[in-house]
Amino acid sequence: MKKHFSIHLLVTLLLSLNVFAQRKTIQIAFLADVHFQDLYGDFSDNAFRGVENPKTKKKTLLRTMDSQLRSTRIFNENYFAFLAALDDIAKRGIKIVALPGDYTDDGQAYNLRGLKRILDEYQKKYGMRFFITTGNHDPVSPFLKDGGKSDFLGEHGSPINIFSNKDLIKDKDQDTFITRDIAMSGYLEIINELKEFGFSPSEKDLFWETPFSHRSYKNYSLKKALKSSEYSNRMYEVSPGFSVPDLSYVVEPVSGIWLLAIDGNTYLPKNINGNPTDPDNFHGASIGYNNVLSNKKHLIDWVKNISKEAEKNRKVLIAFTHYPMLDYNDGASEDIKNLLGENKWQLDRVPNDQVAQVFSDAGLKLHFAGHMHINDTGIKKFENGKTLVNIQVPSLAAYLPGYKILTVNSPADFEVETVPINDVPHFDELFPLYQKEFEALKSQNTKDIWNSDILKTKNYHDFTLFHLKELVRLRFVPSDWPKDFFKKASKLSREDLLNLSIDSANSNKINAAKFKTWNFEDALLNLYQLQSADELAKKDIPESRLLQFKILHENFEKLNTEDEFLNQLKTFFSVLSKLSSGDPTDHFEIDFKKGMILKLK
């Protein structure tokens, strides 16, 4: 029996390999967390088009620099970065593009229209096809929800209100514009606007289905698939009495490849006795897969069925979702919790170990995710011999901006390349408007004003790095780091750190003079760079400093002390060390036969 089973597996593999041998390798681009906001969009019910840019003379709907330097994402320049990334993908001749969620920033109608316009343009011009799944910013709630922002930029450099409902406005002194087009769309509005980008089947597809329409591949019918794609046929009970949509789907855009787009949003009700259609009666979905396991179990059963069907029909199954399936902190999560506390550093978004186990058992091997705005590769091997690889796609709206290219060489051999988007045409187009804003803030003697040197950056890479630096100063340090620790640590020079790390009886002999080029705050920024960009950040950090970090880590590890502050520094350099030594993330091969990730040059 075992011999017969082995022969069957061998025949299946040979047939599958033969399919790939008969055609060129297939490439898929992954663009995560675009957070698209239409700088040049318009409102259907209000004539306001933003402020005039003295540089271009164009009306522009933009958020303030102050707001984006306190956010984990850039709001404005990513518009240009998105176009630059699509142009790069077009030049490479890649035809399949997957977007793992947060393709808009809160799913407002004017942003959905703008996104659709751009995707339509690239489809027509280059023959691309786009496949998207949902993120926690699209939608923010299962149903259409009033919203708006008080940090759009006005004519004189001061913020203005743009809201869908005047009752939401807190600062009545600011200029105000009301439009329904800034309400946060629910699932219905999103599927109606973007259905042609994977949410609904196309005659170009060889196969398409949802978790609510499972049927065998051989019995596929476009007519039946179109019926099952309707909004009313994609509902489930997230909690008793609360029916919400699930826009998951699987699609075969080219022969042999199945893209599994998992809707990882789980919107739990705040009040089980409340209105089941009230958009305000739902928690956000940012926690991700941890809630899927408890409240969206139908997805797991469906993934099992799809995995079996894919194997039966010799299809390569590639999953993508907004949320990670594996810990993305390179084993540093426990140290981070010990240093900062369990409610800091977005640790609630780290998936439980059970998530990977459940989806690996369901048949998944390769998964792409976004959400965290980081570049990371995670691999987990299980006792049953299975392997799951989770690839975190960097955001175009944060350091280090870029996207991923997956090359499918065979059913067991994949190549992944990270493409940084360093140079972006027009990235500095809005700088004159920010200068106005800075001058207005300065004239008002505003505290914690942002550093105007960001307006001197020469490319998009440097702009996003400056954004991260300001984000650390203006948000992360005040919100995440223990005040007493940071107050002490921020005064330390590199020589101070060296001296504190040394155990005179057991230490590396170092030339202290070499430690005179950086201080603790530099190391803190480097830590965030490594967490965000992984090995790609090393191109922005002097090699000598990375070696010195290694020495400090080794010294602190040998230090046996009861001093709380020294132990905090010890943990800090442990985190830094782990974040700088994870699996390859730049250009690598995944060999599922060996269960290995191999770095490529």
Side-chain angles (χ1 to χ4, degrees):
M1 184 68 182
K2 287 183 179 179
K3 185 177 180 182
H4 174 75
F5 183 66
S6 298
I7 292 172
H8 172 72
L9 279 179
L10 180 61
V11 171
T12 300
L13 181 60
L14 289 173
L15 286 171
S16 187
L17 288 169
N18 187 49
V19 170
F20 278 83
Q22 293 175 10
R23 65 164 178 253
K24 295 180 180 178
T25 56
I26 295 165
Q27 290 191 310
I28 303 167
F30 289 85
L31 283 171
D33 298 278
V34 173
H35 287 283
F36 176 83
Q37 292 195 111
D38 196 353
L39 295 174
Y40 307 110
D42 53 23
F43 302 132
S44 60
D45 56 358
N46 192 308
F48 181 67
R49 297 292 178 270
V51 297
E52 183 173 302
N53 186 339
K55 183 177 181 179
T56 63
K57 305 303 178 185
K58 290 194 289 188
K59 292 284 187 179
T60 310
L61 286 165
L62 77 159
R63 310 273 288 280
T64 63
M65 177 65 85
D66 185 68
S67 64
Q68 65 179 7
L69 290 181
R70 297 173 191 272
S71 170
T72 54
R73 60 197 182 276
I74 290 166
F75 298 131
N76 304 321
E77 284 66 29
N78 44 313
Y79 175 96
F80 305 112
F82 183 42
L83 297 177
L86 291 176
D87 286 340
D88 190 72
I89 291 167
K91 286 179 184 177
R92 295 169 186 265
I94 298 172
K95 302 300 183 184
I96 303 174
V97 184
L99 282 74
D102 282 6
Y103 36 84
T104 66
D105 201 71
D106 294 348
Q108 301 95 334
Y110 83 101
N111 287 327
L112 290 175
R113 290 196 300 268
L115 179 69
K116 184 179 186 302
R117 183 180 66 252
I118 289 171
L119 298 185
D120 280 341
E121 178 186 334
Y122 279 82
Q123 282 196 156
K124 291 175 184 175
K125 190 172 181 180
Y126 299 106
M128 290 180 180
R129 295 200 63 202
F130 295 94
F131 298 93
I132 62 182
T133 189
T134 53
N136 59 305
H137 281 275
D138 38 30
V140 172
S141 170
F143 310 112
L144 180 67
K145 181 177 180 178
D146 273 316
K149 305 292 180 184
S150 58
D151 56 19
F152 279 87
L153 191 63
E155 286 289 351
H156 305 293
S158 295
I160 59 173
N161 298 314
I162 304 182
F163 281 87
S164 62
N165 187 325
K166 63 181 180 180
D167 294 336
L168 298 178
I169 298 169
K170 294 180 181 179
D171 192 340
K172 308 289 184 181
D173 294 330
Q174 292 184 178
D175 289 342
T176 297
F177 300 88
I178 303 296
T179 171
R180 289 299 301 166
D181 284 359
I182 203 165
M184 296 178 284
S185 297
Y187 276 109
L188 179 61
E189 292 75 24
I190 287 172
I191 195 173
N192 284 343
E193 191 70 54
L194 303 177
K195 63 182 178 181
E196 66 188 271
F197 307 117
F199 288 138
S200 183
S202 164
E203 59 184 13
K204 298 177 183 178
D205 300 327
L206 301 174
F207 180 63
W208 188 98
E209 76 162 41
T210 78
F212 312 105
S213 62
H214 183 62
R215 57 181 66 89
S216 70
Y217 176 65
K218 292 181 179 178
N219 294 329
Y220 176 68
S221 158
L222 176 60
K223 183 178 179 181
K224 290 179 180 178
L226 284 167
K227 181 66 178 175
S228 65
S229 72
E230 293 176 6
Y231 177 80
S232 60
N233 293 325
R234 302 171 83 167
M235 309 293 286
Y236 75 103
E237 270 198 336
V238 68
S239 190
F242 287 80
S243 291
V244 297
D246 177 351
L247 295 193
S248 301
Y249 63 91
V250 64
V251 62
E252 185 174 3
V254 294
S255 179
I257 299 293
W258 280 15
L259 281 177
L260 181 62
I262 301 175
D263 177 357
N265 289 343
T266 309
Y267 293 102
L268 302 179
K270 295 177 181 178
N271 179 5
I272 59 173
N273 297 314
N275 185 345
T277 61
D278 178 3
D280 292 316
N281 191 27
F282 290 89
H283 293 287
S286 64
I287 291 176
Y289 274 114
N290 292 341
N291 283 340
V292 168
L293 295 189
S294 57
N295 292 71
K296 215 170 183 179
K297 293 180 180 179
H298 70 273
L299 266 181
I300 300 163
D301 293 334
W302 179 61
V303 170
K304 285 180 182 177
N305 289 330
I306 288 299
S307 298
K308 290 176 182 177
E309 193 76 7
E311 185 177 359
K312 177 182 174 182
N313 292 282
R314 301 192 296 278
K315 308 296 181 181
V316 177
L317 185 64
I318 302 159
F320 68 103
T321 330
H322 188 55
Y323 306 102
M325 283 188 175
L326 290 176
D327 189 330
Y328 42 80
N329 286 323
D330 296 317
S333 290
E334 194 63 29
D335 283 340
I336 294 168
K337 183 170 70 173
N338 291 336
L339 182 60
L340 305 182
E342 61 182 17
N343 296 321
K344 304 296 184 180
W345 197 281
Q346 303 185 85
L347 287 175
D348 61 335
R349 296 184 173 190
V350 175
N352 298 329
D353 289 342
Q354 189 185 2
V355 170
Q357 182 73 65
V358 165
F359 280 98
S360 175
D361 288 345
L364 290 192
K365 294 180 180 178
L366 182 58
H367 178 260
F368 286 79
H371 192 41
M372 301 312 302
H373 301 183
I374 64 172
N375 177 44
D376 185 69
T377 306
I379 180 169
K380 188 158 182 86
K381 300 176 185 178
F382 300 92
E383 292 180 0
N384 58 10
K386 293 185 176 182
T387 300
L388 176 64
V389 174
N390 181 83
I391 295 169
Q392 289 298 130
V393 183
S395 170
L396 290 173
Y399 176 85
L400 187 144
Y403 70 95
K404 299 277 186 180
I405 298 174
L406 171 69
T407 302
V408 183
N409 295 317
S410 80
D413 182 22
F414 302 84
E415 182 181 332
V416 179
E417 181 182 0
T418 308
V419 183
I421 300 297
N422 295 322
D423 297 304
V424 172
H426 311 294
F427 89 96
D428 57 353
E429 188 168 295
L430 310 177
F431 283 13
L433 292 168
Y434 296 138
Q435 187 62 45
K436 268 189 178 183
E437 177 194 343
F438 181 79
E439 290 166 1
L441 290 170
K442 199 173 179 181
S443 68
Q444 297 160 11
N445 296 316
T446 305
K447 292 182 180 179
D448 293 328
I449 192 170
W450 50 270
N451 188 343
S452 63
D453 284 347
I454 193 172
L455 304 183
K456 297 176 183 177
T457 51
K458 301 300 182 184
N459 56 55
Y460 190 59
H461 171 277
D462 292 351
F463 181 83
T464 59
L465 179 53
F466 208 115
H467 170 264
L468 178 61
K469 185 177 181 180
E470 284 291 86
L471 182 60
V472 170
R473 179 177 74 91
L474 296 171
R475 175 171 166 174
F476 290 155
V477 166
S479 67
D480 280 359
W481 290 84
K483 289 183 180 179
D484 289 343
F485 169 74
F486 184 77
K487 186 177 180 180
K488 288 181 183 179
S490 62
K491 296 176 182 178
L492 297 177
S493 69
R494 43 281 168 198
E495 289 173 287
D496 294 331
L497 288 165
L498 175 60
N499 290 331
L500 288 171
S501 76
I502 290 176
D503 179 341
S504 57
N506 185 17
S507 68
N508 291 300
K509 293 181 179 180
I510 313 160
N511 183 352
K514 292 182 178 180
F515 277 67
K516 290 185 175 181
T517 57
W518 55 273
N519 58 28
F520 175 81
E521 291 194 38
D522 294 322
L524 181 61
L525 175 61
N526 295 156
L527 181 142
Y528 278 102
Q529 285 177 261
L530 290 163
Q531 192 250 349
S532 299
D534 209 284
E535 65 178 309
L536 289 173
K538 294 179 181 180
K539 298 177 182 179
D540 293 327
I541 303 171
E543 187 176 355
S544 60
R545 189 184 303 178
L546 291 168
L547 290 172
Q548 291 161 16
F549 287 160
K550 184 179 179 181
I551 291 169
L552 285 169
H553 169 58
E554 291 171 352
N555 277 2
F556 274 114
E557 284 298 301
K558 296 172 185 174
L559 199 62
N560 187 12
T561 177
E562 297 296 322
D563 185 283
E564 182 184 6
F565 180 61
L566 290 179
N567 279 318
Q568 286 175 312
L569 287 174
K570 183 177 184 176
T571 305
F572 175 88
F573 282 101
S574 175
V575 172
L576 200 157
S577 175
K578 289 175 180 177
L579 292 177
S580 64
S581 55
D583 290 301
T585 63
D586 184 2
H587 190 190
F588 55 93
E589 178 186 4
I590 306 170
D591 186 336
F592 280 106
K593 287 182 184 177
K594 298 178 180 178
M596 294 176 62
I597 294 176
L598 308 170
K599 184 177 177 63
L600 299 174
K601 292 183 179 180

